[in-house]
Amino acid sequence: MNAHNKPNAPVLDSYWMPFTANRQFKAAPRLLAAAEGMHYTSVDGRTVLDGTAGLWCVNAGHGRRQIAAAVERQLSTMDFAPSFQMGHPIAFDFAERLAEIAPGPVGAKLDRVFFTGSGSESVDTALKMALAYQRSIGQGTRTRLIGRERGYHGVGFGGISVGGIVNNRRVFPQLPGSDHLRHTHDPAKNAFVKGQPEHGAELADDLERLVALHGAETIAACIVEPVAGSTGVLVPPKGYLERLRAICDKHGILLIFDEVITGFGRLGAAFATDYFGVTPDIVTTAKGLTNGAIPMGAVFASRKVHDALMHGPEGQIELFHGYTYSGHPAACAAGIATLDIYRDEGLMTRAAEIEGDWHEAMHSMKGLPHVIDIRTIGLIAGIELQSRDGAPGARAYDVFVDCFERGLLIRVTGDIIAFSPPLIAEKQHFGEIVSILADALKRVK
């Protein structure tokens, strides 16, 4: 008996699943029932190695009792409190803890923290902050937002407008005036690279092209993922982010880094901002913020951005924006417990210690059937497969299903397999990932 014919399986009709082919899934569901450490347990009792930290979020591994206990204590003490014209201590405590490790160098940290409920909410919050900032300094003509092709910034209308994934955009209207840089993926020059590729820094000059096209006085902000995750692990070329920062400074454009995936240790530093040594004006986060235990996001803003809005009568609201669950008490409790684990177990920097073994394991699959590129950075990997004629994405999906049936959870986007295991992973787990995936690649047609 397996998960597909378990007699007491739940009725599946009512739940409209996100980013899922619902009819296909419900005909052959893959259901997870429990999780601990590096593994899930399926409803039919099989152990499944988590190669994706859930959905890029369970950085400290599953089943952390410390987080569960903190949430339980908070819910028993106070389940909810409003954050509009009210406050509760744990939200301020969590913000202070985040400010201590905030992105950026000492003396220039982005240490003003706005809480949201998700990465999508963090992105829309950051975009609003950028527009409000420009208006507050007398640059109200700056309303244009620049994203990047193959970028993913959540699913709010702001996020899909600056995002560059066609299926997320094709049936929905976008914010007027948004535009996009070219993406940085160039497999002809940068295939099978460990870390940052050598070629492509000049692609940042696309922002100069958009300035020439639209006028700098119309552009409020440029948002990019330091490492694009959802479109298949696109690593920035050497010098690219530095060049983008310089162009933004030259033209008075705010730079936003979307670190929903790269934040909280994924690259071997607390944030990609610190890993690459390039400081934006605003950073968006979520996912690893609470180890995925409670939905939450946080936007880190520079004091330049924050302080520009702190003018006028003291009784006025400086930013007309927020969410019912901004700074939710239980989420803050989960976040503080998560930061304690990251600190006590050295997880913010652990990826730097084990990335050599990780990169070696991933690149050992070069030469396997269908593999046309492998790229790695920190504890992330993207393995790109040759697409079937007329059926893009089908081959990787078949590999995904095969791996799950044999005890490995992977993530696929198109024909790219993306890995982001929990930061507690050991070398033995890398070997298990390679063994299962390699066999699946040999089987798939």
Side-chain angles (χ1 to χ4, degrees):
M1 183 175 296
N2 59 39
H4 300 170
N5 59 16
K6 190 175 175 65
N8 61 345
V11 177
L12 306 179
D13 294 343
S14 297
Y15 179 26
W16 190 345
M17 299 174 67
F19 279 118
T20 298
N22 278 251
R23 291 163 296 169
Q24 180 187 58
F25 177 90
K26 291 172 183 180
R30 295 169 294 278
L31 300 175
L32 302 170
E36 184 74 23
M38 284 290 298
H39 296 88
Y40 283 106
T41 301
S42 65
V43 292
D44 56 333
R46 295 183 301 106
T47 298
V48 179
L49 177 61
D50 184 1
T52 60
L55 198 58
W56 303 86
C57 52
V58 189
N59 290 358
H62 295 277
R64 287 291 192 156
R65 304 294 185 265
Q66 187 173 342
I67 299 173
V71 171
E72 181 182 17
R73 285 194 302 271
Q74 182 56 51
L75 288 174
S76 299
T77 303
M78 183 175 67
D79 52 356
F80 176 81
S83 293
F84 299 177
Q85 303 289 8
M86 293 293 297
H88 51 88
I90 195 168
F92 293 95
D93 293 344
F94 189 27
E96 284 299 308
R97 288 288 303 275
L98 290 170
E100 292 172 2
I101 62 163
V106 175
K109 286 185 173 294
L110 280 59
D111 60 1
R112 295 297 181 257
V113 182
F114 193 105
F115 288 122
T116 72
S118 68
S120 293
E121 290 182 2
S122 289
V123 166
D124 277 18
T125 298
L127 298 178
K128 282 187 171 183
M129 284 179 176
L131 293 170
Y133 165 81
Q134 297 289 9
R135 189 179 185 89
S136 73
I137 64 169
Q139 296 288 313
T141 60
R142 292 180 181 265
T143 59
R144 194 179 303 277
L145 301 165
I146 305 299
R148 188 168 59 186
E149 295 172 358
R150 295 187 67 166
Y152 178 72
H153 301 293
V155 293
F157 279 101
I160 65 169
S161 297
V162 294
I165 302 176
V166 64
N167 283 336
N168 291 357
R169 295 160 52 88
R170 68 168 79 242
V171 301
F172 307 111
Q174 285 107 57
L175 297 180
S178 57
D179 209 335
H180 298 77
L181 310 172
R182 286 177 293 168
H183 63 73
T184 61
H185 188 41
D186 188 354
K189 295 180 179 177
N190 294 323
F192 298 98
V193 172
K194 299 176 183 177
Q196 290 185 265
E198 296 289 338
H199 305 283
E202 70 282 355
L203 291 167
D205 293 342
D206 247 19
L207 186 53
E208 290 280 17
R209 177 180 61 84
L210 296 180
V211 167
L213 175 64
H214 299 298
E217 72 280 4
T218 72
I219 301 174
C222 176
I223 181 170
V224 297
E225 299 161 277
V227 177
S230 293
T231 53
V233 186
L234 310 184
V235 181
K238 291 178 180 177
Y240 174 86
L241 295 175
E242 293 87 343
R243 207 151 162 173
L244 202 58
R245 173 74 273 183
I247 296 170
C248 286
D249 287 341
K250 176 182 174 182
H251 295 290
I253 299 168
L254 292 185
L255 180 60
I256 304 170
F257 280 179
D258 185 341
E259 293 219 40
V260 170
I261 282 175
T262 53
F264 304 102
R266 181 53 54 188
L267 299 183
F271 299 94
T273 294
D274 307 309
Y275 179 89
F276 292 115
V278 179
T279 305
D281 301 289
I282 302 173
V283 165
T284 65
T285 67
K287 295 190 183 289
L289 179 68
T290 63
N291 201 47
I294 301 283
M296 194 181 202
V299 179
F300 293 81
S302 67
R303 295 197 184 186
K304 176 183 79 172
V305 170
H306 171 271
D307 293 351
L309 274 65
M310 298 298 144
H311 296 292
E314 289 189 3
Q316 76 177 15
I317 295 172
E318 296 92 0
L319 182 66
F320 276 83
H321 176 71
Y323 303 97
T324 298
Y325 300 116
S326 290
H328 190 285
C332 290
I336 290 172
T338 297
L339 290 185
D340 287 344
I341 292 170
Y342 289 160
R343 177 198 62 204
D344 296 344
E345 299 184 14
L347 294 183
M348 291 289 202
T349 57
R350 190 165 190 272
E353 300 164 8
I354 60 177
E355 69 173 357
D357 290 334
W358 171 249
H359 294 186
E360 181 179 353
M362 293 296 100
H363 284 271
S364 72
M365 290 182 279
K366 181 178 181 180
L368 286 177
H370 316 298
V371 174
I372 60 174
D373 189 23
I374 298 171
R375 38 196 182 267
T376 54
I377 188 168
L379 205 61
I380 308 175
I383 300 172
E384 189 159 355
L385 307 183
Q386 182 68 51
S387 297
R388 290 176 184 153
D389 290 342
R395 176 171 284 136
Y397 178 81
D398 287 347
V399 172
F400 162 70
V401 173
D402 190 354
C403 285
F404 180 76
E405 294 295 341
R406 286 166 172 77
L408 172 64
L409 179 63
I410 67 175
R411 175 161 169 71
V412 296
T413 173
D415 274 305
I416 300 168
I417 298 166
F419 283 109
S420 57
L423 303 176
I424 62 170
E426 302 285 351
K427 188 175 180 178
Q428 69 199 53
H429 299 122
F430 304 161
E432 188 176 350
I433 288 171
V434 170
S435 176
I436 295 173
L437 178 57
D439 286 347
L441 290 171
K442 293 172 185 175
R443 280 189 293 270
V444 73
K445 301 300 183 183

